[in-house]
Amino acid sequence: MLLPTALYSRLAGAPGAAEPLPVERNPAAGAAPFLFTPRLVRFPRDHEFFEDGDVQRHLYLQDMLTQVSETPEKSMVPEFTCQVAGCCQVFAALEDYQHHYHMSHGNTCSLCSRAFPSGHLLDVHILEWHDSLFQILAQRQDMYQCLVEGCPEKFRTSQDRKDHMVRLHLYPADFRFDKPKTNRGPAMPAAADPPARALKDDSDAMEICSEPAAPPPCRRTYSHRIPSTVCFGQGAARGFKSTKKRNKHP
Amino acid sequence: MWSRRQGRLSTLACGVEELRCRRREREAALRKARREQQLVSKRLLREDAPEEAGGQSAAVLLGEAEVQQFLRLAQRGTDEKEREKALVSLRRGLQHPETQQTFIRLEGSMRTLVGLLTSNRALLQLEAARCLHELSHSEQSAVAEACLPATSYLLTYLSGHSSEFIELCLYTLGNLIVESEAVRKQLLPQGIVPALVACIQSPHVAVLEALGYALSQLLQSKEAPEKIIPENLGFGYFLAVFERSHWYLCGSCSQPTSAGSSLLDSSLLQHMLRLMQPGPKLNLGVAVEFAWCLHYIICSQVNNAMLLSHGALPTLAMLLLDMAGAAQRMDDAGLELQLACPVFRCLSNLLTEVPVEAMGEQMELRDERIVAALFILLQFFLQKQPTLLSEGLWLLNNLTANSPTLCTSLLSLDLIEPLLQLLPLSNVISVLVLTVLCNIVEKGPAYCQRLWPGPLLSCLLNTLVLSDIEVVGQSLELLQLLFLYQPEAAQAFLQQSGLQALERHQEETQLRDRILALQQTAIHG
């Protein structure tokens, strides 16, 4: 198909509509036995007109998904240790470290060092575990929000919430990001290793369990609050800010 | 993802001819599947890896004892590296369908895998996710459905920040979505749509592409037009999920509760259009996936008025211009081709939803650059992908049918001759070309005069020689209009043995009356 050369420059030119030629129809046009009237055509998605295009789409997907299954190449670097206080995991690939950082240090509660997979779950945790106002309000109204994104429901107790999630959202009864609050108080300064108290390493079946009774093997004496200077772009630890400091000066 | 991984395409042992042959076979299989309405099926999603690929990625058949051992090592091993290696070995084994069967039959195996998926050891998590991904690929329902205990976690992780992990979760979910309606019946109440929507703000291109893929699979599912698109998401979605007794809750809330408000009310739609905006930030791989999503949504006709009010038409029109510009510049344009098809469909079907009164307001649809762009793209497809020509011409019909402005543009930009050059390609294309020409000619003498003198008549005489009834029928329609508004054409028709050409089809029932009428007009004027 030979296109006029001016067409290319027209495409690159300014927007503009042609002045339409005058329309003047004769009533005999398209009159019986003739049928033609100009009309827009709509095709439903399963129409055979779309067969070729759908086949091409599928071929593209086949190629794409074959590549997805291939083991990705990693950017290998000399071994290094995670610099977050208390974490001693070692990495030799940047992607692995990035994943580790996001999962284990990204959304971490500065008060009890638990790590969460998302900011949303961290927010809920801080509210339900560390906010005394929440506890007060919860006695009078439904405060436990459903954990499923987009669901607006709230409940009186965490058990009610769990029932809702199991029944309506078909979540597992032992969903590990919905553990009831333990009796353990707020984080103590000389507390245990964050890895031991972060997402519990699941050597056993996923039980809803409280923290291990035995003290973890190594104790540290420095704070496990992630320094604000350490920031990997997203999600340094956040905590429920105390209001005490503001009242210091009279 | 396309550009990122292209460099890693392994060179296959077979030659070019064999590749072409395999591609034809794949096409034939897909065509057959589509006719049987089986196109969205796991089996067809991943091409069987050729045996000679070999090497590292060869599927390994593992026995029950080995699977158990790897799982135990991964779960309880003391050395981090050993645990990781055990999972890698398991993953390789899971590429083999028999190992998959062994795995799912082993008691507690999925539980262990999910435990590793949700552990705090990053590398184990990643490998566990890859194992799940392998399982999700399986054509055997039992295997894919065995992954269901993991889905609540896959969805939870979509709100995280680890892009590679999220990407993997998305492709796994995409596979599960395709598996069966039963699986979707679990994923939907678990909130898959809000979880997907949450991902759309990710800055990572690979995540967006995976998201678009998963979403397009969801929207393409059989029950999507009736169930998923209308009743899904936001408030309306959970309305559908709630038991009847919960309706009172909905009444007390201030959120709109009408069906049809959901998927399309959410910010998802606006984000989708944003990701399709032409400009320096446009990523073709991502745009392709969301263009397909848009196509399925438009076809469902649930709320196209809302799409129009969100500016879908200008976005699509600008995208068309952008693609034409790119087609001019680039040689290798695989992704442009992939994008063109859904964009044509979206634009074309959406045009049918614009109320006639409002057509004039759409400035982009009168801009003559749009027909310039379309023709540049048509020429591009002629070389690279002729199957797309018919869809492009369908769009041209929808653009010109009620638009004197664009019909005028076709004339003033000298696009009639190029259009005529497409006539011989196929019957379907002939009919479309003739229809577009009818669109122009029916607007009256001012338009016909611009076509006369010209190659139109001799082209029509050629089409009359054909035997396809539809092609001939459309030619007759065009002739009638031409004779009506440009009487000299009737004269020339007679002189060029037009009557004899007509006589060939006199006995054809569907054409008889029109032929008679034309013969009369030609002779008597």
Side-chain angles (χ1 to χ4, degrees):
Chain A
M1 189 172 61
L2 282 168
L3 295 176
T5 41
L7 201 66
Y8 301 96
S9 46
R10 182 64 197 93
L11 178 69
E19 189 58 45
L21 294 165
V23 177
E24 202 186 312
R25 292 190 178 96
N26 187 316
F34 293 94
L35 315 155
F36 181 79
T37 36
R39 55 186 189 90
L40 277 74
V41 176
R42 183 194 152 256
F43 286 119
R45 76 176 199 183
D46 293 324
H47 199 279
E48 65 173 342
F49 185 74
F50 286 156
E51 183 180 298
D52 285 335
D54 283 354
V55 167
Q56 294 306 315
R57 159 70 171 164
H58 230 82
L59 283 171
Y60 170 78
L61 282 181
Q62 281 182 347
D63 290 339
M64 182 173 101
L65 291 172
T66 308
Q67 291 175 55
V68 168
S69 317
E70 284 168 12
T71 319
E73 280 168 19
K74 296 190 190 182
S75 332
M76 303 305 285
V77 294
E79 267 191 13
F80 65 97
T81 314
C82 177
Q83 290 300 294
V84 172
C87 180
C88 19
Q89 290 194 40
V90 174
F91 300 94
L94 290 176
E95 293 87 352
D96 294 343
Y97 177 55
Q98 198 204 21
H99 175 62
H100 158 80
Y101 187 90
H102 284 306
M103 296 305 278
S104 303
H105 308 305
N107 295 292
T108 309
C109 176
S110 59
L111 295 161
C112 64
S113 305
R114 278 185 181 77
F116 295 86
S118 69
H120 170 63
L121 287 173
L122 173 61
D123 287 342
V124 170
H125 161 81
I126 291 172
L127 199 62
E128 296 177 9
W129 285 50
H130 302 300
D131 185 348
S132 41
L133 182 62
F134 177 90
Q135 299 304 325
I136 294 169
L137 288 174
Q139 289 162 18
R140 279 183 270 144
Q141 60 194 75
D142 296 343
M143 293 290 288
Y144 289 87
Q145 45 183 286
C146 176
L147 296 180
V148 176
E149 188 117 24
C151 179
E153 293 300 298
K154 292 191 176 178
F155 302 88
R156 229 350 141 52
T157 65
S158 62
Q159 187 58 45
D160 288 344
R161 171 183 54 204
K162 177 176 290 302
D163 288 342
H164 162 84
M165 283 173 65
V166 168
R167 211 163 32 91
L168 260 119
H169 296 297
L170 309 183
Y171 263 56
D174 57 356
F175 186 63
R176 71 174 302 159
F177 302 123
D178 180 25
K179 300 201 173 155
K181 189 172 175 180
T182 62
N183 295 328
R184 207 172 40 77
M188 293 180 290
D193 250 30
R197 295 173 48 215
L199 295 178
K200 180 164 177 296
D201 189 35
D202 219 295
S203 41
D204 301 305
M206 289 187 295
E207 311 147 304
I208 299 167
C209 60
S210 47
E211 296 306 292
C218 72
R219 287 174 165 269
R220 314 266 168 127
T221 51
Y222 47 84
S223 161
H224 291 278
R225 197 178 296 268
I226 294 172
S228 54
T229 48
V230 173
C231 179
F232 216 42
Q234 292 131 346
R238 288 183 283 117
F240 184 71
K241 290 196 171 25
S242 159
T243 54
K244 282 190 216 152
K245 286 180 191 167
R246 291 196 208 135
N247 297 331
K248 256 190 178 161
H249 303 286
Chain B
M1 187 221 69
W2 182 273
S3 48
R4 180 158 62 90
R5 293 183 198 244
Q6 228 171 9
R8 292 199 220 119
L9 268 178
S10 45
T11 47
L12 297 172
C14 40
V16 174
E17 191 45 51
E18 199 177 323
L19 272 172
R20 263 200 221 116
C21 182
R22 286 185 63 240
R23 191 180 173 87
R24 281 197 293 272
E25 283 168 20
R26 283 160 67 198
E27 264 197 56
L30 288 171
R31 231 171 264 285
K32 179 167 180 287
R34 190 184 187 276
R35 286 177 198 162
E36 294 164 7
Q37 308 212 318
Q38 293 290 322
L39 195 57
V40 188
S41 94
K42 197 81 73 61
R43 178 171 54 86
L44 297 166
L45 268 182
R46 192 163 69 162
E47 197 200 345
D48 292 321
E51 262 115 44
E52 52 267 34
Q56 286 181 314
S57 49
V60 175
L61 178 57
L62 299 175
E64 186 177 302
E66 288 168 290
V67 172
Q68 246 175 343
Q69 188 197 22
F70 286 138
L71 275 173
R72 212 178 288 127
L73 251 176
Q75 193 187 32
R76 297 170 200 269
T78 42
D79 178 46
E80 192 83 17
K81 289 266 182 299
E82 288 303 313
R83 296 176 74 182
E84 200 192 324
K85 266 203 240 163
L87 265 185
V88 171
S89 305
L90 179 63
R91 171 168 58 83
R92 294 226 182 94
L94 288 174
Q95 288 173 354
H96 196 295
E98 275 188 52
T99 314
Q100 291 171 358
Q101 287 289 336
T102 307
F103 178 88
I104 64 166
R105 276 189 248 120
L106 210 56
E107 199 180 312
S109 56
M110 185 52 72
R111 202 164 170 66
T112 307
L113 194 60
V114 175
L116 290 162
L117 179 72
T118 57
S119 73
N120 68 344
R121 315 308 285 183
L123 302 185
L124 293 178
Q125 250 191 337
L126 276 171
E127 275 307 323
R130 291 196 188 109
C131 288
L132 257 178
H133 180 74
E134 280 305 329
L135 289 165
S136 73
H137 254 312
S138 171
E139 296 163 27
Q140 299 161 70
S141 298
V143 175
E145 283 172 15
C147 299
L148 287 176
T151 54
S152 58
Y153 296 107
L154 291 174
L155 292 175
T156 304
Y157 287 135
L158 292 185
S159 314
H161 291 293
S162 173
S163 60
E164 188 180 348
F165 193 60
I166 293 175
E167 193 190 339
L168 199 49
C169 291
L170 283 168
Y171 281 114
T172 304
L173 284 165
N175 291 339
L176 293 176
I177 284 169
V178 170
E179 174 56 42
S180 66
E181 189 169 353
V183 169
R184 291 191 289 274
K185 277 209 169 104
Q186 168 163 320
L187 289 173
L188 287 166
Q190 283 186 342
I192 184 166
V193 183
L196 291 178
V197 174
C199 281
I200 203 161
Q201 303 197 47
S202 168
H204 301 282
V205 160
V207 169
L208 290 171
E209 197 173 337
L211 166 63
Y213 163 71
L215 196 57
S216 73
Q217 296 295 79
L218 190 61
L219 293 171
Q220 200 194 356
S221 64
K222 218 171 12 105
E223 72 274 20
E226 281 90 57
K227 296 202 198 129
I228 300 180
I229 298 175
E231 54 177 57
N232 223 323
L233 287 202
F235 208 67
Y237 156 61
F238 289 103
L239 266 185
V241 170
F242 284 170
E243 296 149 5
R244 293 291 153 199
S245 58
H246 283 247
W247 273 92
Y248 75 93
L249 281 172
C250 316
S252 64
C253 291
S254 55
Q255 302 266 5
T257 59
S258 56
S261 63
S262 45
L263 178 61
L264 305 181
D265 267 351
S266 75
S267 55
L268 177 65
L269 202 54
Q270 287 166 1
H271 281 295
M272 271 169 52
L273 289 174
R274 170 181 61 84
L275 290 168
M276 290 168 65
Q277 291 285 347
K281 285 209 226 145
L282 179 72
N283 179 284
L284 286 177
V286 172
V288 166
E289 297 310 311
F290 286 107
W292 281 100
C293 289
L294 201 58
H295 165 58
Y296 299 129
I297 291 176
I298 291 172
C299 282
S300 76
Q301 291 189 295
V302 167
N303 199 343
N304 285 335
M306 166 164 296
L307 270 171
L308 288 169
S309 68
H310 275 311
L313 273 178
T315 301
L316 291 165
M318 296 307 292
L319 200 48
L320 201 71
L321 296 182
D322 202 61
M323 277 157 48
Q328 267 182 266
R329 291 187 301 268
M330 296 153 62
D331 275 347
D332 168 39
L335 282 179
E336 306 287 350
L337 288 173
Q338 292 301 325
L339 186 56
C341 177
V343 169
F344 281 179
R345 294 182 184 190
C346 287
L347 202 42
S348 207
N349 269 338
L350 204 51
L351 280 171
T352 68
E353 306 274 357
V354 178
V356 176
E357 329 66 83
M359 271 302 266
E361 290 158 29
Q362 303 276 355
M363 285 306 301
E364 297 76 13
L365 300 181
R366 302 203 317 222
D367 187 342
E368 60 182 6
R369 292 179 306 162
I370 204 175
V371 289
L374 188 48
F375 271 80
I376 290 172
L377 285 168
L378 287 176
Q379 187 197 47
F380 186 64
F381 299 148
L382 194 54
Q383 294 158 6
K384 306 270 184 179
Q385 187 117 340
T387 50
L388 274 175
L389 278 172
S390 52
E391 297 202 23
L393 288 169
W394 163 51
L395 174 57
L396 188 60
N397 172 70
N398 284 6
L399 284 168
T400 53
N402 294 331
S403 176
T405 309
L406 287 182
C407 286
T408 306
S409 295
L410 282 180
L411 294 164
S412 58
L413 291 173
D414 291 322
L415 292 171
I416 305 300
E417 276 204 53
L419 196 56
L420 291 171
Q421 287 169 33
L422 296 175
L423 272 171
L425 288 175
S426 78
N427 288 337
V428 170
I429 288 180
S430 292
V431 172
L432 287 163
V433 169
L434 291 167
T435 309
V436 171
L437 290 167
C438 284
N439 287 347
I440 300 173
V441 166
E442 71 89 27
K443 297 201 170 26
Y447 292 78
C448 289
Q449 278 158 26
R450 299 282 285 266
L451 290 167
W452 193 263
L456 184 56
L457 195 61
S458 48
C459 285
L460 281 172
L461 287 164
N462 285 338
T463 56
L464 285 177
V465 170
L466 299 173
S467 51
D468 184 88
I469 293 180
E470 259 206 272
V471 175
V472 175
Q474 204 64 37
S475 312
L476 298 177
E477 300 285 341
L478 187 51
L479 280 169
Q480 192 240 1
L481 295 165
L482 201 56
F483 291 173
L484 197 57
Y485 296 127
Q486 194 74 30
E488 297 102 306
Q491 297 291 334
F493 183 72
L494 286 173
Q495 286 159 12
Q496 291 175 46
S497 319
L499 285 179
Q500 286 88 316
L502 286 177
E503 270 161 29
R504 288 168 64 99
H505 304 285
Q506 258 177 316
E507 299 312 308
E508 191 58 58
T509 25
Q510 290 178 55
L511 304 172
R512 200 167 34 214
D513 295 336
R514 288 182 280 179
I515 288 188
L516 265 165
L518 273 178
Q519 284 168 333
Q520 293 297 309
T521 313
I523 297 168
H524 303 298

